[in-house]
Amino acid sequence: MVVMGITGMESLSLSEKAAKMRESLQKSQTITDNVVTILGSFDHRLSALETAMRPTQIRTHAIRKAHENIDKTLKAAEVILAQFDLSRQAESKILRGPHEDLESYLEAIDQLRSNISYFSSNKGFKNSEGVINNANTLLVKAISKLEDEFKQLLASYSKPLEPDRLFECLPNSMRPSSGSPGHNGDSSHKSPSNHHSEQPNGDAETAVFTPPTLIPPRILPLLHDLAQQMVQAGHQQQLQRIYSVQLTPWSCNNKEALLVELKESSVVIRDTRSTVLEESLRKLGVEKLSKDDVQKMQWEVLEAKIGNWIHFMRIAVKLLFAGERKVCDQIFESFDCLSDQCFAEVTASSVTVLLSFGDAIAKSKRSPEKLFVLLDMYEIMRELHSEVWNMIEKSAAGVIQTQIESVFKGKACTEIRESALGLTKRLAQTAQETFGDFEEAVEKDATKTAVLDGTVHPLTSYVINYVKFLFDYQSTLKQLFQEFENGTESDSQLASVTMRIMQALQTNLDGKSKQYKDPALTHLFLMNNIHYMVRSVRRSEAKDLLGDDWVQIHRRIVQQHANQYKRTAWAKCLSVQGLTSSGGGGSVATDGGNSSGVSRALIKDRFKVFNIQFEELHQKQSQWTVPDTELRESLRLAVAEVLLPAYRSFVKRFGPLVENGKNPQKYIRYSAEDLERMLGEFFEGKTLNEPKR
């Protein structure tokens, strides 16, 4: 029962719950329907609201767009106004000029160019054309002022260098002493060998040259900035003219033309770099001399000027021109063609003056004494040519260049390099022709200067000294022979030239020896001169070139002439030996003569003849000269070795015949010792009035 009661209660409870759920569902459905109805009414309302709001939205969007356009316009206006403001600032700076603040002035020009570019790309603006025209006009004025500033800066800091300043840049070994003539631009050049040995070619090539500072380093960047602006403005030609225009007597000989050039260029003479270089060279002592001027000069004067020219060439190329190249490269940095062109134009006049003197020498009348200065000139041109003029060839060959090697670089300097190379070749040609002239002159020398004492002829000493000087130039001569290479080694060419000169000298001496009437003096003369040649060769570098065979052959020639002298000069005196075999039918004297059958009268006559002949030889040959001490003593000894034994033998054998007679001292005047003493006076070159020793 209880279980049934519980089950009934549960059934009742579930029913109630279900009823409640149905009731809730109905209420929920009712609410849902109500919400749907409400929402449906909202949709209609929103749709109506949207329709009502659309015009407002359109107006709002338009307003927003308008605001955006206004902002853009304001910003564009600000940019334009800023450009105008910057333009006014630039104009203000430009009107003040560059002198006070060059950096600010250059910035103003850059800004002006920027403004022109801006308005050129925005030509839609009203008045753009007017703004551009105004800016261009202002830019022209600005560049014109830049030209004036460049001109003024260049003029202010372009001053000729004093010689002392240049000498300080030379290596110590090349600096002239304060008291020397060279210190004042007038160095002497008295001897080719002396000049040549002062500074060997190898030392000159390796010596350190320090180019002078031609323009202060702090000014060069300013000039570079000015030049850069002028090039950008298309004023390259004006810039080139300002820098390198030449208005000096070296480049303009006509006064009227000079005035016209001044007027057209509006550049003061002293403002140009070319004039500064020329004036520096003038202060140093460089002169513009024509071929006629050179021909009229005395040799001593010309020789000194050639010595100076060699010095000037080194200073000009290695100091002045090298310094000018540095200036050009720094001012026209990044404008290589302009730099090369300006440098070529600036140096052209100075180079021409220097080379024209060398050319005048090369084309002047040839003479033997000019050979060594020609070689000196050729040597300096080779030295400079290898360092400077051949820069292009060296570069192509991959050779590391020094600063000097790049001085005359570029196409613009082609003419200068070719002129220098042409002079080098002309000097070589003239030197070689002078060689030939000298050889011919030696062989055909017809000097009538008599060498009465048979000593070394002036021609011999001149030629030998000439040959010695040649060996101071061995490296130069090798280079010169290579200029006209014909497949022969330069060493053998020099040996061949030297041998030909020596042979020409011997040929001439043979001719001169025939002027002597005394055959003994002929042989003495040839002995002296050939001995001098042999001795000089043995003591010089010529021995290595001519060889031992040449020396030995000519030593034998010397000995042959000595023997010929001895036979020719002493044949009569030595014939006293023949007395021992000359018969005679005279009877022996009763006062003690020997029993040989030789008469006393004959013996007296022989002594008398010997005395006369010996005294004549003594008087004559003591006036002759053998200048070499060793050769002189050797020749005396050779005579004594033959004469004295024969004389002693003769006196010993035949002397008693005379001594037992009257006045024996009249016939036997000399003892062997007297003869030996008198032989010691031979070949001393005494005059007739000199007392006997």
Side-chain angles (χ1 to χ4, degrees), residues 24-41:
S24 297
L25 286 170
Q26 289 175 353
K27 287 181 179 179
S28 176
Q29 183 64 43
T30 303
I31 292 169
T32 299
D33 293 340
N34 290 336
V35 169
V36 169
T37 303
I38 292 169
L39 287 173
S41 65

Side-chain angles (χ1 to χ4, degrees), residues 107-128:
E107 289 175 356
I109 290 177
D110 287 335
Q111 182 58 56
L112 203 57
R113 286 201 177 99
S114 176
N115 290 347
I116 292 171
S117 176
Y118 176 81
F119 285 108
S120 296
S121 59
N122 293 278
K123 290 188 176 179
F125 297 147
K126 189 178 181 180
N127 296 329
S128 284

Side-chain angles (χ1 to χ4, degrees), residues 34 51 94 142 154 206 280 292 324 358 364 540 611 623:
N34 290 336
T51 301
I94 286 169
L154 195 64
T206 57
S280 297
D292 289 339
E324 190 63 35
S364 64
S540 72
N611 292 336
Q623 297 175 53

